[in-house]
Amino acid sequence: MINLYETGPFLRLTAKRHTAILRKIIHVDMDAFFASVEQRDNPDLRGKPVAVGGSAARGVVAAASYEARKFGLRSAMPSITAKRKCPDLIFVPPRFDVYRAVSQQIHAIFAEHTALIEPLSLDEAYLDVTDNLQGIPVATTIAEMIRAKIKRETGLTASAGISYNKFLAKMASGQNKPNGQFVITPKMGPAFVEALPVRKFHGVGPATAAKMARLGIETGADLRGQNLAFLKERFGKAGPYYYWIARGIDERPVRADRVRKSVGAEDTFAADIFDLESARNELAPLVGKVWRYCAERSIQGRTVTLKVKFADFQQITRSRTIGAVVAAETDLATVAGTLLEQVFPVSKGIRLLGVTLSNLSGSAAEADRQMSLVI
Ligand SMILES: [Mg+2]
């Protein structure tokens, strides 16, 4: 028989050790990535306000250089607004093949330290370096090594955040941007979050921030003052996430095998569309792209979503889930076409259409780590 009194202290010690094992997470984020690549490759652009994106009347800014940001530019801003804010702005068309190649270079640098890499986009990733391949004990050192090597190999700068969970690592990487890094230790975590405005929280978008403001929640401290039931009631599934991050707690693992949730394609048109016939013509190539992408990877899905953005930027989505997987391109076209018909007649022009297939199955869906299908 086991004597609990004898094993007791040992068990307690073990338990304590387990809770004391803190993860070491690094969030690496390239500085003004697309714009920096363009400035690297074209010396004429250096030191100047640059926007990557379409300069045409209907274009949007995909990325802005730091010189352009001083004028209040940010990504997703209509190009017209950007040009008004910064008359000397230079527009450069995006070169996604180049950005992808750089992304692969930085990924290879990450992989020298850990296999636990979770990309968020082409220029951002979480790394779990708790057990790292080179046995370096201090995560700050690893972040410095990674940033130095990125600079050496790509000529570009990156910033890094180091902390004990993903949320805080992400928040930390923005602290000393550009070309800097910042550590949030377990001791600093709760106070850091309390002082942070909720609109700056990763995972709190503008709509949620506005809703929180209406509820009197402006800072992390305000958020911390709300109980779990209240946050669940007001914010649904996101409620518990907000509850815990307000305490600096985020147990989400760094997932190397990020599961794809959807495949989508969309297009912004040169001129607004008002009639169903034109909309159908624009929808067809989008359906084709989504279908080809899925077919090549044996990805299947059951939910078709149509996205419509109007001239005034109002956006609506219409979805339909069918009993079995969408079996053929013509089926995808039929479902998407039916959803489109329901949007008509329209009282204002359509500037963008998108088609997405979700509710995915198939082994390739799980293995597919590409973040988004940019068309
Ligand atoms: Mg970035």
Side-chain angles (χ1 to χ4, degrees), residues 27-34 66 69 121 123-124 177:
H27 176 253
V28 182
D29 186 6
M30 300 295 288
D31 301 319
F33 183 49
F34 297 171
Y66 282 96
R69 290 182 191 196
S121 61
D123 78 315
E124 268 183 70
K177 248 183 179 306

Side-chain angles (χ1 to χ4, degrees), residues 42 74 104 106 114 121 142 181 228-229 238 254 271 279 312 325 336 340:
N42 181 355
R74 46 183 175 70
Q104 280 166 10
I106 64 170
T114 179
S121 61
I142 299 175
Q181 63 183 58
L228 184 57
V254 173
D312 62 358
V325 293
L340 185 66

Side-chain angles (χ1 to χ4, degrees), residues 66-144:
Y66 282 96
E67 295 85 356
R69 290 182 191 196
K70 284 182 195 146
F71 293 85
L73 265 68
R74 46 183 175 70
S75 51
M77 180 179 275
S79 298
I80 284 181
T81 314
K83 189 83 184 169
R84 198 174 58 232
K85 283 179 181 274
C86 177
D88 293 331
L89 187 63
I90 305 167
F91 281 96
V92 182
R95 297 179 300 153
F96 283 105
D97 50 339
V98 179
Y99 310 148
R100 264 185 223 113
V102 177
S103 187
Q104 280 166 10
Q105 277 182 291
I106 64 170
H107 197 276
I109 294 167
F110 301 157
E112 291 171 8
H113 293 277
T114 179
L116 284 177
I117 304 163
E118 179 180 329
L120 286 174
S121 61
L122 286 176
D123 78 315
E124 268 183 70
Y126 291 116
L127 283 60
D128 187 326
V129 296
T130 315
D131 282 318
N132 62 83
L133 298 171
Q134 299 183 31
I136 299 166
V138 182
T140 310
T141 310
I142 299 175
E144 277 164 1

Side-chain angles (χ1 to χ4, degrees), residues 24-29 125-127 139-140 143 147 158-166 168-176 180-184:
K24 294 172 185 171
I25 314 288
I26 302 175
H27 176 253
V28 182
D29 186 6
Y126 291 116
L127 283 60
T140 310
R147 290 176 46 240
S159 296
I162 303 107
S163 197
Y164 53 98
N165 63 44
K166 282 162 74 170
L168 289 173
K170 169 93 179 161
M171 293 290 93
S173 68
Q175 288 294 303
N176 280 331
Q181 63 183 58
F182 189 73
V183 190
I184 300 177

Side-chain angles (χ1 to χ4, degrees), residues 245-268:
I245 58 169
R247 286 153 181 80
I249 296 167
D250 175 12
E251 300 291 349
R252 292 173 304 158
V254 173
R255 287 187 196 282
D257 55 346
R258 206 179 154 92
V259 176
R260 168 181 280 290
K261 295 219 168 76
S262 67
V263 175
E266 60 181 49
D267 198 9
T268 304

